[in-house]
Amino acid sequence: QSLHFRAFCLHMMGQRAEARAAYETAIRVMEARREPFGWTYQKLAELLQNEDPSSALEYAKKAVEVDPGIDSSHLMLGKMYESTGNLAAAIEEYRKAERLKPNDASVRYVLFRLYRNQGDAQAAAAELKMHQKLRQVYGPQQ
């Protein structure tokens, strides 16, 4: 995990090439030790989402495979599916994130937006209503 956190620090400092190499090194070490850490795959997917979407999608899938109980991994995979136009798969992943973190209003807003874009006014309205209710109860930031 220390290799992951080194890569993450490089990522946060904007050193993208170094961060990618460090994440890839961390993944090789973890896989060799058979000690996968989903966050590393997730963060590498985040890093690559604009410059290498196909690799990012594969890393996002691996993050969910390794640690299916992390809502942010499902959010990242949902985002990757959404960016490729696979809205059904995106909705499925966002739903999984919503089940893992049911009080997160932002997930409901994303679902509202996707259902609206698909033309499902009833589902969109239900998600917007839940989004507003959660914001009222928990506030705008979570």
Side-chain angles (χ1 to χ4, degrees), residues 117-132:
N117 290 347
Q118 283 190 318
D120 189 340
Q122 186 175 7
E127 292 303 330
L128 182 58
K129 183 177 180 179
M130 183 56 77
H131 165 75
Q132 292 168 335

Side-chain angles (χ1 to χ4, degrees), residues 64-77:
V64 167
E65 177 187 320
V66 168
D67 277 332
I70 297 177
D71 65 298
S72 59
S73 291
H74 291 282
L75 290 173
M76 177 52 66
L77 183 53

Side-chain angles (χ1 to χ4, degrees), residues 71 96-105 107-108 130 134 138 142:
D71 65 298
K96 290 175 184 176
E98 178 264 323
R99 283 191 292 275
L100 291 166
K101 194 173 179 186
N103 298 335
D104 187 347
V107 176
R108 296 303 187 132
M130 183 56 77
L134 289 169
Y138 296 104
Q142 295 195 14

Side-chain angles (χ1 to χ4, degrees), residues 37-49:
F37 184 54
W39 288 98
T40 306
Y41 298 103
Q42 181 195 138
K43 289 302 180 183
L44 184 52
E46 180 183 311
L47 179 73
L48 298 176
Q49 65 185 337

